[in-house]
Amino acid sequence: GAGVSQSPRYKVAKRGQDVALRCDPISGHVSLFWYQQALGQGPEFLTYFQNEAQLDKSGLPSDRFFAERPEGSVSTLKIQRTQQEDSAVYLCASSPSEQTNTEAFFGQGTRLTVV
Amino acid sequence: EDQVTQSPEALRLQEGESSSLNCSYTVSGLRGLFWYRQDPGKGPEFLFTLYSAGEEKEKERLKATLTKKESFLHITAPKPEDSATYLCAVQAHSGGYQKVTFGTGTKLQVIP
C-alpha cells in the first residue's frame, strides 16, 4: 500500500511569502506528527495531531507556523511570512496507534528553501 | 529538558567489521527510546522501540539494547547496504505532551 506522501517535494519561496506544505498520511492512521530537519541535524518536533485534534503544538517555533488536520486525514503545515531560518526539510510522520511511543512512518519530506 | 547525544558522529567500517553506536539520553521519565535509519534524501525508517532498561531487540544484523542512561545499536558483520545515518530519539512522560526528541545521528559508512 501507499506510504506517507508529502507535497511538494521541493519548494523555493521568497522571503516574506506564505507557503503551505501537504501531508497525506497512511489511510486510517490516527496519529500524525510534523518535524523540521535542518541540514546535518536530527528532526525537531513541531506538532502532533490525534485524528483532527491538535494535542501538542509545543514545538512550533513562532506564531508564523500553523498546522491543521480538519478531517483527521490530510494535514497542512502553513508558514506565513517565511524567513531564511525557515529553510529546512519538513517531515510528516503517521502512526496507526493513539499510543505515540510506537512505530511511526515518515514521508520523504518537503525541502523548503527561502531566498 | 530532554536531551539525546549520539556518538560517534561518523563511523567508517570495513564490510564484516562489527561495531556499536551509542545514544546517551536524559529524560524525566522514559516512555520510549527509538532507533531510526535515514538514507540521504529520504525520511527516517523505523527500526526499534525500547521501553525499559534491560530490554533488547534484534533485526537482521542489528541489535538494540537499553540501560537507564544509554542505548547501543550493535551492528554485526555489516554490509555496504547498512550505510546510512542512524538516529536515536526519546519520548518522555510529560503531562500529555507528545514530543519526540531526536539526536543528531551517527553517519555510518560500510566499505566493501
Side-chain angles (χ1 to χ4, degrees), chain B residues 5-12 19-23 86 104-108:
Chain B
T5 303
Q6 292 189 247
S7 62
E9 290 186 8
L11 182 62
R12 197 174 183 195
S19 188
S20 296
L21 313 182
N22 177 264
C23 171
Y86 290 84
T104 55
T106 293
K107 186 173 183 178
L108 174 65

Side-chain angles (χ1 to χ4, degrees), chain A residues 31-36 44-50 52-61 65-69 75-78 90-94 100, chain B residues 97-100:
Chain A
S31 293
L32 186 145
F33 297 83
W34 282 100
Y35 293 88
Q36 179 190 62
E44 286 204 21
F45 172 84
L46 294 177
T47 189
Y48 166 73
F49 289 87
Q50 186 177 105
E52 70 279 3
Q54 189 176 19
L55 297 186
D56 187 351
K57 52 183 180 180
S58 62
L60 295 176
F65 286 71
F66 172 77
E68 59 183 6
R69 193 186 185 198
S75 179
T76 304
L77 177 67
K78 297 180 179 178
Y90 290 84
L91 294 164
C92 175
S94 70
T100 56
Chain B
Y97 289 105
Q98 310 298 331
K99 179 179 180 179
V100 177

Side-chain angles (χ1 to χ4, degrees), chain B residues 5-73:
Chain B
T5 303
Q6 292 189 247
S7 62
E9 290 186 8
L11 182 62
R12 197 174 183 195
L13 298 174
Q14 291 291 325
E15 184 172 1
E17 179 187 2
S18 301
S19 188
S20 296
L21 313 182
N22 177 264
C23 171
S24 297
Y25 65 92
T26 305
V27 294
S28 54
L30 186 68
R31 284 190 71 204
L33 183 141
F34 311 93
W35 282 99
Y36 283 86
R37 168 195 171 127
Q38 187 171 28
D39 292 296
K42 298 196 173 181
E45 177 187 343
F46 175 82
L47 295 173
F48 305 107
T49 306
L50 302 168
Y51 296 102
S52 58
E55 190 175 0
E56 299 183 352
K57 288 191 176 175
E58 288 188 66
K59 178 180 179 180
E60 296 179 356
R61 295 177 292 282
L62 300 177
K63 178 180 177 180
T65 62
L66 181 65
T67 73
K68 288 185 179 180
K69 294 183 179 180
E70 58 191 350
S71 177
F72 291 93
L73 184 65

